[in-house]
């Protein structure tokens, strides 16, 4: 019985590189000088921290651009509410890994409905292909 695996993982090395790159961009931007703005990578989330809420809105596109250049799928980011307190603002972005149960159930249903006919393996090297007979004249 043929089988295949579907997996949805974030490349942690590229994620770390993307966050580091975003921090370097923030460090070099004039409008973020002295604001203490930074991206922090934790086990299952990225935290954006700065002094003002409007800076959080400027930081998110920088992070997304850095991650997309590294090949990290932006659909794996789940931004949460911005938390504002006196003199600081922060936002957590959860990292989604894996496939939701609902999506798995839909994939199984589609595969069961469109069940392909079993493939026949030809020992001559073809998969499901009929061996062509030479034409007789």
């Amino acid at each position: 019985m043929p089988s295949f695996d579907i997996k949805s993982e974030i490349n942690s090395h590229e994620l770390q590189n993307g966050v580091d790159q975003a921090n370097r961009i923030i460090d070099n931007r004039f409008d973020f000088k002295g604001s203490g703005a930074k991206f922090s990578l934790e086990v299952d989330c990225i935290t954006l921290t700065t002094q003002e809420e409007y800076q959080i809105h400027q930081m998110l596109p920088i992070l997304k651009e850095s991650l997309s250049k590294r090949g990290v799928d932006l659909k794996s980011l789940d931004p949460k509410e911005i938390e504002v307190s006196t003199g600081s603002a922060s936002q957590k972005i959860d990292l989604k890994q894996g496939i939701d149960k609902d999506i798995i159930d839909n994939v199984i249903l589609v595969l069961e409905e469109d069940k392909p006919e079993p493939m026949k393996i030809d020992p001559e090297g073809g998969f499901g292909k009929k061996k062509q007979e030479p034409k007789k004249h």
Side-chain angles (χ1 to χ4, degrees):
M1 182 82 164
S3 67
F4 65 93
D5 295 329
I6 300 174
K7 59 184 212 182
S8 173
E9 294 179 343
I10 298 173
N11 183 337
S12 59
H13 183 68
E14 292 300 332
L15 180 65
Q16 179 68 51
N17 288 341
V19 171
D20 290 343
Q21 177 65 33
N23 274 321
R24 282 192 294 275
I25 292 170
I26 292 293
D27 289 342
N28 291 328
R29 291 232 340 217
F30 178 77
D31 52 339
F32 284 101
K33 293 283 185 199
S35 68
K38 68 178 181 173
F39 299 97
S40 303
L41 178 61
E42 296 162 20
V43 175
D44 58 352
C45 74
I46 300 171
T47 305
L48 288 66
T49 309
T50 189
Q51 291 177 347
E52 300 288 333
E53 180 180 358
Y54 76 90
Q55 290 176 325
I56 295 283
H57 294 292
Q58 294 174 337
M59 291 172 69
L60 189 56
I62 293 169
L63 177 66
K64 286 183 176 182
E65 181 180 352
S66 295
L67 293 176
S68 66
K69 285 181 179 179
R70 294 283 181 177
V72 176
D73 188 6
L74 298 181
K75 292 179 186 175
S76 62
L77 303 179
D78 185 19
K80 300 299 180 188
E81 296 274 329
I82 297 174
E83 299 172 8
V84 180
S85 62
T86 307
S88 70
S90 66
Q91 180 179 26
K92 289 197 179 288
I93 300 175
D94 288 342
L95 302 171
K96 298 188 288 185
Q97 295 194 63
I99 302 172
D100 292 334
K101 178 79 170 127
D102 296 336
I103 294 173
I104 292 172
D105 292 340
N106 289 338
V107 168
I108 291 171
L109 286 174
V110 168
L111 289 175
E112 287 177 350
E113 288 173 1
D114 297 335
K115 203 177 256 186
E117 293 181 24
M119 293 191 77
K120 297 178 184 175
I121 300 173
D122 182 11
E124 300 291 322
F127 290 93
K129 297 178 182 177
K130 291 185 179 180
K131 198 171 187 179
Q132 291 184 352
E133 297 293 326
K135 293 183 181 179
K136 295 181 182 178
H137 293 88

